[in-house]
């Protein structure tokens, strides 16, 4: 399965419910989910998202006991997408995680 733009669009208070839904959809042990998350400071005016920033600790906490988590890549998107700077970001990273069902 692939999630790019799903989890990062979900309000932070709804993230756990979203992950539980993914657990039901990707239920078979050994099944994998490629998850693209982002990291950034608050936007101009203090707005947090969307897309909402997720640290590796957030991903691990959301994965809980249901998933093994591995960071497989990270990319600084500011040189490629300067519009993030126009929104007030001093940095904007895309992080790719491989989640494997336990």
């Amino acid at each position: 399965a692939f999630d790019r733009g799903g989890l990062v669009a979900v309000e932070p208070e709804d993230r756990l419910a979203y992950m539980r839904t993914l657990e039901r959809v990707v239920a078979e042990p050994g099944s994998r989910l490629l998850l693209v998350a982002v990291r950034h400071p608050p936007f101009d005016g203090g707005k947090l998202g969307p897309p909402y920033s997720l640290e590796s600790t957030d991903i691990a906490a959301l994965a809980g006991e249901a998933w093994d988590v591995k960071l497989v890549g990270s990319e600084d998107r500011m040189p490629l997408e300067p519009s993030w700077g126009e929104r007030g970001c001093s940095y904007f990273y895309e992080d790719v995680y491989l989640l494997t069902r336990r």
Side-chain angles (χ1 to χ4, degrees):
F2 181 62
D3 182 319
R4 182 182 188 279
L7 181 59
V8 298
V10 173
E11 295 285 337
E13 60 270 13
D14 296 327
R15 288 177 181 165
L16 191 56
Y18 181 85
M19 287 300 291
R20 297 299 86 88
T21 299
L22 287 176
E23 288 170 18
R24 287 191 299 276
V25 173
V26 185
E28 186 175 329
S31 296
R32 293 181 277 178
L33 169 68
L34 195 63
L35 172 69
V36 180
V38 296
R39 284 181 292 124
H40 61 79
F43 298 122
D44 283 340
K47 188 174 179 185
L48 299 177
Y52 293 97
S53 185
L54 288 149
E55 298 290 332
S56 60
T57 54
D58 298 321
I59 300 297
L62 289 167
E65 295 297 317
W67 306 89
D68 289 322
V69 178
K70 179 181 179 184
L71 177 65
V72 294
S74 185
E75 182 177 37
D76 179 1
R77 299 298 298 178
M78 290 292 280
L80 303 169
E81 299 176 54
S83 61
W84 295 117
E86 295 165 11
R87 290 182 69 183
C89 290
S90 55
Y91 63 89
F92 193 95
Y93 287 89
E94 274 190 346
D95 298 325
V96 180
Y97 295 89
L98 179 63
L99 279 66
T100 305
R101 282 291 272 144
R102 292 183 179 161

